[in-house]
Amino acid sequence: MNFIDLPPLLSARGTVRLPGSKSISNRILLLAALAEGETEIRDLLESDDTAHMLAALVALGVAVEPLGDGAYRVRGAGGNFPVKQAELFLGNAGTAFRSLTAALALSAGEYTLSGAPRMHERPIADLVDALRAVGAEIDYLGKPGFPPLAIGRRRPPPLHAAGVVRVRGDVSSQFLSGLLLALPLTGVETTIEVLGDLVSRPYVQITLAMMRRFGVRVVQEGARHFVVPAASHYVAPGLIRVEGDASAASYFLALGAIGGGPLRVEGVGRQSVQGDVCFADALALMGARIEIGEDWIEASAPASGKLRGIALDGNDIPDAAMTLATTALFAAGPTTLSNIASWRVKETDRIEALATELRKLGATVETGADFVRVTPPPAGLRTPPEGIATYDDHRIAMCFSLAALGVPLRINDPGCVSKTFPEYFEYFAAVTQAVPVIAIDGPSASGKGTIAIRVAQALGWHYLDSGALYRLTALAAQRAGVAWGDEAGVAAVAASLDAEFGEDSIKLSGVEVGDAIRTEDISSGASQIAVMPAVRAALLFRQRVFRRAPGLVADGRDMASVVFPDAQTKVFLTASVEVRAQRRYKQLIEKGIAASIQPLLLDLRERDERDSRRSVAPLQQEADAHLLDATNLTIDQTAAQVLGWFRKIL
Ligand code: DC
């Protein structure tokens, strides 16, 4: 599946137990590998980025034993990787790539480090220059300044007791973090001097805190100098737990702030070492109500109900600040995020990616080298029919999930969330409440349409006549000269169908269709094209977009099984074939169309037979659908029964 369709949401509330922090997980893994002694790690994040780090450590000869349920036992190599020659592939895991580059460059051995294509576009020269200055041998195997790298061609590396190492801090803090983690391997006192501004400063604090847990105290002198004392070496702390991921927390806190809440995340709180917990302060500035405990944070919507736009320097929380860019869609006034140039060298150019996708939702977006300003659309969000692109960037996918609090939304290639949060969308579904759907399926002439309209009127909900979409597609294909047998051609017509549904009105390309979709000819065309998988796929999202607050009643063949499998109430409406033939007869006569019972009866029998045998979306009752036999019921009685079932689940 290369997309996920998020239903529009009414609200968000509940509790989420966060997965382990990516930043902490990968730091702890490396420290445990470099330490003397055994470390038992609990609550390690299980994701692509940590899998790359684990695989690299195993390739370097470190003994790693999975204990199940996010727990691992790592036998530390005591500062000396057993395997002296290895080729490591690190995907797009920046934390793993930068820290291993530093650690391997300061070890004896010959290594190559490569990654995903995007990793080879992310700069690393600042780190390489700093490591070369202390005598490390590093060559660029591709474009100078970028991975892949060859490390330690000359052996043993003629490390200097450099005294001072200089590293630029204004592109990525991971260069400084990598150096800090690796320098204890040299055994000599080293001072790191940061050149230029240091971005993402709180991530360096995570590094220092984790180093302390493994017995190395870095002395910080002012904002730019870090002294790694002589004879530092890592010692396993025994047992260590990974905190919840504060960046991942941002999506849920934003959901609570927009969608009512209270939404609580567990695993981060007052005690957290992660700078991204300050995301909660940014939400509070927007008016959200925030509560913080030792190990949890909770967000609710403002008392006034409406968030307000803010201006924020995002430098300290570069990952979580992205979440504010989509939260801004629900705020009054513009939101400006500044000092975020580092976004341009992450998994993708995050400033451009966010701007492009936000505009698809109707927002006005201004961007610069290091800022983005988002003004929400005054008339509300719109659903982009092509879906939201995710740029192989987990955070883009997760950020845009918030927009489902406004409109139904397709997110393309959602699998990218596995970089840091493989089960994100399951967690998301568990704490969000979707706009309700009543799905009514059933055989031809069972009265689905009549009942669905009746129920929709009673509840004041929207109504989807899915059959009309198939009929419109058949009509549009005919008008465009596309043969009904041409699956790809008809699917293209379906995908670009310019249809507009109003009360008692259906328009095709702006023109009222009236009874043109009810002729025998078009009925036959609709049933021909309805068996084509490409046509059904092209109409799928179009049908889902009808789901709007306060609710939707949808009628048609596969409403309960395929289009709205999460429908709150599912009804399979049927009646004896004789009664259905009579009802259809009456309907036709009322419309002034000549008809007689016998052929109608024959036709319905044939259709039932065909419909239940067809391989694509066959007519069948879903296991969780109510069976409603309306043979002896009036329209009022039938509608009352459907409403009764719906009200029972409220
Ligand atoms: O319900 P109707 O007669 O207006 O439907 C027109 C055609 O489309 C009919 O052949 C059944 C088919 N259809 C379908 O396959 N799936 C739906 N959800 C709705 C209708």
Side-chain angles (χ1 to χ4, degrees), residues 12-242:
R13 63 175 170 273
T15 300
V16 168
R17 179 88 217 162
L18 295 166
S21 154
K22 173 193 74 164
S23 305
I24 296 178
S25 291
N26 269 355
R27 282 169 176 77
I28 288 180
L29 280 174
L30 180 61
L31 288 166
L34 294 174
E36 261 163 41
E38 274 188 6
T39 304
E40 185 178 330
I41 308 172
R42 298 257 176 91
D43 302 327
L44 192 85
L45 171 65
E46 314 246 18
S47 73
D48 292 353
D49 276 13
T50 50
H52 283 302
M53 183 59 120
L54 276 166
L57 295 176
V58 169
L60 291 167
V62 178
V64 179
E65 186 191 346
L67 305 173
D69 211 19
Y72 290 83
R73 185 173 298 125
V74 178
R75 189 152 353 106
N80 197 3
F81 290 114
V83 174
K84 296 293 173 205
Q85 212 158 20
E87 291 182 9
L88 305 178
F89 175 80
L90 297 164
N92 200 5
T95 47
F97 204 103
R98 281 66 179 267
S99 61
L100 279 169
T101 295
L104 293 172
L106 299 184
S107 307
E110 286 181 44
Y111 306 99
T112 63
L113 270 64
S114 65
R118 174 62 187 171
M119 194 71 234
H120 295 179
E121 293 170 4
R122 297 173 69 183
I124 197 162
D126 294 346
L127 177 61
V128 170
D129 292 346
L131 290 165
R132 281 176 173 167
V134 289
E137 281 287 321
I138 306 177
D139 291 325
Y140 296 113
L141 295 174
K143 194 164 123 194
F146 297 84
L149 304 176
I151 293 177
R153 289 236 168 117
R154 239 185 272 149
R155 281 193 297 165
L159 289 183
H160 317 151
V164 178
V165 189
R166 294 186 177 83
V167 66
R168 297 189 63 88
D170 53 358
V171 172
S172 168
S173 67
Q174 287 180 10
F175 304 147
L176 172 58
S177 279
L179 274 179
L180 282 165
L181 290 165
L183 278 171
L185 297 179
T186 66
V188 296
E189 178 179 303
T190 315
T191 299
I192 305 177
E193 184 184 332
V194 180
L195 304 176
D197 291 332
L198 176 58
V199 297
S200 319
R201 188 174 284 273
Y203 284 95
V204 176
Q205 297 307 322
I206 299 179
T207 304
L208 298 179
M210 293 305 119
M211 289 172 72
R212 278 198 296 278
R213 295 293 301 276
F214 283 81
V216 171
R217 287 193 167 269
V218 174
V219 181
Q220 202 173 334
E221 294 177 346
R224 302 184 176 281
H225 293 87
F226 298 84
V227 183
V228 180
S232 291
H233 63 281
Y234 294 122
V235 179
L239 180 70
I240 190 163
R241 280 177 199 282
V242 177

Side-chain angles (χ1 to χ4, degrees), residues 293-560:
E294 291 297 294
D295 183 45
W296 55 266
I297 308 178
E298 194 174 275
S300 307
S304 69
K306 184 82 178 165
L307 296 167
R308 55 180 174 266
I310 55 169
L312 188 89
D313 180 326
N315 197 282
D316 276 353
I317 55 166
D319 285 356
M322 290 175 72
T323 309
L324 296 172
T326 47
T327 306
L329 292 168
F330 299 92
T335 290
T336 307
L337 304 168
S338 58
N339 205 2
I340 50 164
S342 70
W343 284 15
R344 293 200 181 271
V345 293
K346 302 281 186 168
E347 280 80 342
T348 184
D349 179 337
R350 287 175 163 172
I351 293 182
E352 286 315 313
L354 278 164
T356 305
E357 302 310 308
L358 285 165
R359 286 182 187 128
K360 284 190 195 167
L361 293 164
T364 303
V365 187
E366 293 160 70
T367 63
D370 66 347
F371 81 92
V372 62
R373 180 174 301 121
V374 183
T375 306
L381 303 185
R382 59 171 181 249
T383 296
E386 72 278 31
I388 294 292
T390 48
Y391 307 82
D392 202 17
D393 185 342
H394 54 135
R395 298 211 184 281
I396 298 285
M398 295 189 279
C399 280
F400 277 92
S401 66
L402 302 182
L405 281 159
V407 285
L409 200 66
R410 171 164 289 189
I411 296 198
N412 292 314
D413 302 310
C416 59
V417 299
S418 68
K419 187 168 197 288
T420 55
F421 201 160
E423 291 169 332
Y424 176 72
F425 288 107
E426 287 83 7
Y427 279 57
F428 180 91
V431 292
T432 52
Q433 294 77 44
V435 168
V437 174
I438 297 176
I440 305 183
D441 296 7
S444 273
S446 61
K448 307 186 286 288
T450 310
I451 298 304
I453 291 172
R454 203 48 91 84
V455 171
Q457 278 170 347
L459 293 167
W461 285 12
H462 302 278
Y463 163 61
L464 166 63
D465 172 2
S466 62
L469 275 175
Y470 287 91
R471 291 169 178 276
L472 273 175
T473 302
L475 179 66
Q478 191 180 57
R479 288 184 179 170
V482 175
W484 287 330
D486 172 4
E487 181 165 357
V490 177
V493 169
S496 60
L497 201 62
D498 178 11
E500 203 183 312
F501 286 76
E503 223 165 272
D504 301 322
S505 137
I506 302 178
K507 286 181 181 164
L508 188 58
S509 305
V511 181
E512 195 64 50
V513 293
D515 281 339
I517 57 166
R518 302 284 162 200
T519 66
E520 272 312 302
D521 186 34
I522 293 300
S523 293
S524 150
S527 84
Q528 282 177 52
I529 63 161
V531 298
M532 297 170 167
V535 175
R536 301 198 78 85
L539 290 177
L540 181 62
F541 188 49
R542 203 169 258 285
Q543 295 172 83
R544 288 178 171 163
V545 170
F546 279 83
R547 189 173 191 172
R548 287 303 179 99
L552 174 71
V553 184
D555 95 64
R557 185 63 36 89
D558 56 348
M559 293 301 102

Side-chain angles (χ1 to χ4, degrees), residues 527-607:
S527 84
Q528 282 177 52
I529 63 161
V531 298
M532 297 170 167
V535 175
R536 301 198 78 85
L539 290 177
L540 181 62
F541 188 49
R542 203 169 258 285
Q543 295 172 83
R544 288 178 171 163
V545 170
F546 279 83
R547 189 173 191 172
R548 287 303 179 99
L552 174 71
V553 184
D555 95 64
R557 185 63 36 89
D558 56 348
M559 293 301 102
S561 56
V562 176
V563 183
F564 302 110
D566 62 333
Q568 280 72 4
T569 304
K570 300 179 178 181
V571 176
F572 190 81
L573 184 65
T574 185
S576 73
V577 69
E578 291 79 12
V579 166
R580 285 187 280 135
Q582 260 159 28
R583 288 178 184 163
R584 167 106 342 145
Y585 172 79
K586 235 178 93 194
Q587 221 175 27
L588 291 171
I589 295 298
E590 273 166 14
K591 281 195 175 174
I593 301 171
S596 54
I597 288 278
Q598 275 313 314
L600 283 174
L601 198 57
L602 211 65
D603 180 51
L604 279 179
R605 284 209 171 98
E606 271 173 20
R607 260 204 222 204

